[in-house]
């Protein structure tokens, strides 16, 4: 099930963030009040989440993370689908250029490389991916 995050979810989401992301952004999960859109995948406890920042021309998908044990079970797709239902227009995100798994996932959902971002991550270059999903 996908739902909006509640304050009570934040400790579990921070734990998912720490085990799932090479370069987590802890401040994204500071609060659910007046912050970015945070969606949670649960089964029955949180197994994944996404953080999105809606803008005037596009939505920036800041993080999408699923616990290692729950990967390849469809939660990432469900989260991405829920985001497209809640937003309109283009979705943008960045991935590490060397992260073949993430690139394949987003490619399978219609995202394409818009720009190469040199030294974007501590561990190397990034890619800006864009999709017309939700238009």
């Amino acid at each position: 099930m996908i739902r909006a995050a509640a304050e009570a979810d934040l400790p579990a989401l921070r734990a998912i963030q720490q085990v799932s992301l090479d370069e987590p952004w802890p401040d994204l999960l500071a609060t659910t009040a007046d912050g970015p859109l945070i969606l949670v995948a649960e089964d029955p406890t949180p197994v994944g989440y996404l953080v999105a920042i809606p803008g005037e021309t596009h939505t920036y998908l800041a993080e999408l993370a699923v616990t290692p044990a729950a990967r390849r079970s469809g939660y990432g797709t469900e989260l991405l689908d829920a985001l497209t239902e809640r937003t309109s227009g283009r979705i943008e995100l960045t991935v590490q250029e060397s992260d073949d798994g993430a690139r394949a996932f987003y490619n399978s959902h219609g995202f394409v490389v818009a720009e190469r971002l040199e030294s974007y991550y501590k561990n190397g270059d990034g890619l800006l991916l864009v999709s017309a999903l939700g238009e």
Side-chain angles (χ1 to χ4, degrees):
M1 178 172 105
I2 306 298
R3 61 174 174 75
E7 289 290 325
D9 294 317
L10 295 178
L13 302 185
R14 284 188 203 102
I16 294 169
Q17 183 185 54
Q18 290 301 312
V19 300
S20 300
L21 302 176
D22 289 337
E23 293 186 31
W25 191 357
D27 292 345
L28 283 176
L29 297 173
T31 182
T32 59
D34 298 323
L37 172 64
I38 304 174
L39 301 177
V40 176
E42 61 181 6
D43 184 24
T45 60
V47 294
Y49 72 92
L50 70 71
V51 179
I53 304 167
E56 289 183 28
T57 62
H58 67 278
T59 297
Y60 181 72
L61 176 54
E63 288 187 356
L64 190 155
V66 176
T67 61
R71 290 186 188 146
R72 300 195 181 275
S73 299
Y75 295 111
T77 296
E78 288 179 23
L79 285 162
L80 194 54
D81 289 347
L83 177 62
T84 61
E85 291 171 6
R86 289 169 170 81
T87 61
S88 62
R90 188 177 72 238
I91 298 171
E92 295 184 358
L93 61 102
T94 57
V95 296
Q96 288 190 8
E97 185 176 38
S98 62
D99 190 341
D100 294 334
R103 291 175 61 191
F105 172 77
Y106 290 115
N107 181 272
S108 72
H109 288 84
F111 286 81
V112 296
V113 175
E115 185 178 350
R116 185 169 183 266
L117 307 168
E118 289 190 37
S119 302
Y120 187 81
Y121 292 98
K122 291 177 189 172
N123 297 333
D125 298 334
L127 298 172
L128 174 66
L129 303 182
V130 298
S131 176
L133 293 175
E135 289 187 338

